[in-house]
Amino acid sequence: MSIPFLSLQEQHIPLRTEILEAISNVYDRNNFILGESVKLFEKQFGEFCETTYCLGVANGLDAIYLSLKALGVKEGDEVIVPSNTYIATWLAVTMTGATIVPVEPSLTTYNIQASHISQAITKRTKVIIPVHLYGQPCSMGEIVSLAEKHSIYILEDNAQAHGATYKGAKTGSFGEINATSFYPGKNLGALGDGGAITTNNKDLYEKVSSLRNYGSQIKYYNSVLGVNSRLDEIQAVVLSIKLKHLMNWTEDRRRIANSYIQLLNDVKEIILPTTAENCTHAYHLFVIRTDQREALKTFLGERDIGTMIHYPIPPHLQVAYRDLNFKKGDFPIAEEIAQTCLSLPLWPGLAGVNIERICSSIRKFYGR
Ligand SMILES: *Cc1c(COP(=O)(O)O)cnc(C)c1O
């Protein structure tokens, strides 16, 4: 039996009737854009993240971009981003015309930390974008202090860490404004594209509320140059239903991660993920590292076990960014992670027997 890298079946089959009924209600209401369902989901997701305000937008990239716009980021400003992240974090900065300042992550948490961020701060630094990569929260206490000291904004990229906590508080609640994605494969995923911003700042909330809707608060009166980036009613009803299960699913992700760790702990050739101090991990991905990544990936593939690489090429080496003139060796930690990381199957409902088969195959590869 093949084990795919990701399956949504276990989440979607039990919710089929409820979700299809909610979608059919939207169909009958005939009000598809910025209606009551989007409002309701925004209220629920804001409560979930423990922030006063939440706004649905079209996707995670737009959520980051619109947050940067609301913060007034423009050409000439510098924005600090991790050197190892999904390219969307970088692209949102590029879309504002601001300068990308990459910072190397820790090789144990895979996240950027205050001690390295502080070295990259200049007079032009306007925003730091911590990414809670793979579902592991950044050490937000130190990053918040650093940002306060330098009067810099924090914008969390919370696309991978729905439900994770730092010192008991949810990710997506630390920044001046925060962005997330509901791409189907995320911990809370829509049946298509979706995203959101969360904030306690009423002014930023009002700015994004206008920016996402053509720069208009009153129909046909446009006060700023906005875009069209709205969550739609169908995705909102789906997300409201799935949100009720998110913490159970997160618990299941942790169960699976703990099984992997138990079953692979003595295989010294691989580096297992750890949970950082003061954090709960949301395990969006279970990423191991090994010098024999390609061979292990092939070995598992031959046994019908799906794996993925997050991510094979760091943003600074992407062809799309060749104009920034970065070269190989500029960000050695990001490059090291790109060359050695391998994501194992992990989704709510992944059966214990499958975890055992994956681990025994990995053990076999290393001659155990
Ligand atoms: C998925 C993701 C995004 C982008 O989200 P989309 O909804 O696909 O635009 C941004 N940042 C990170 C870290 C992501 O994982």
Side-chain angles (χ1 to χ4, degrees), residues 59-61 64 85-86 88-89 131 157 159-160 181 183 186 194 311:
N59 54 64
L61 172 64
I64 307 170
T85 180
Y86 181 56
T89 320
V131 180
D157 178 340
Q160 302 194 357
S181 161
Y183 178 81
K186 307 291 189 192
Y311 299 91

Side-chain angles (χ1 to χ4, degrees), residues 37 67 84 89 116 143 173 235 282 357:
S37 307
S67 296
N84 64 320
T89 320
H116 290 166
I143 297 176
S173 69
Q235 298 308 333
R357 179 151 87 78

Side-chain angles (χ1 to χ4, degrees), residues 316-318 320-328 330-331:
H316 73 281
L317 298 179
Q318 293 285 358
Y321 273 121
R322 72 188 151 210
D323 288 354
L324 295 185
N325 290 318
F326 288 122
K327 56 188 187 311
K328 222 174 157 124
D330 282 349
F331 300 103

Side-chain angles (χ1 to χ4, degrees), residues 29 56 192 233 247 257 270 277 341:
R29 273 204 303 275
E233 291 283 294
M247 283 325 290
I270 58 184
E277 233 178 291
C341 68

Side-chain angles (χ1 to χ4, degrees), residues 56-69:
V57 297
N59 54 64
L61 172 64
D62 282 1
I64 307 170
Y65 168 68
L66 294 173
S67 296
L68 290 168
K69 289 301 274 187

Side-chain angles (χ1 to χ4, degrees), residues 119-139:
Q119 294 166 33
I121 292 174
T122 73
K123 284 195 170 58
R124 293 184 158 199
T125 309
K126 185 130 190 188
V127 180
I128 303 166
I129 310 186
V131 180
H132 308 299
L133 201 69
Y134 309 149
Q136 167 101 284
C138 297
S139 197

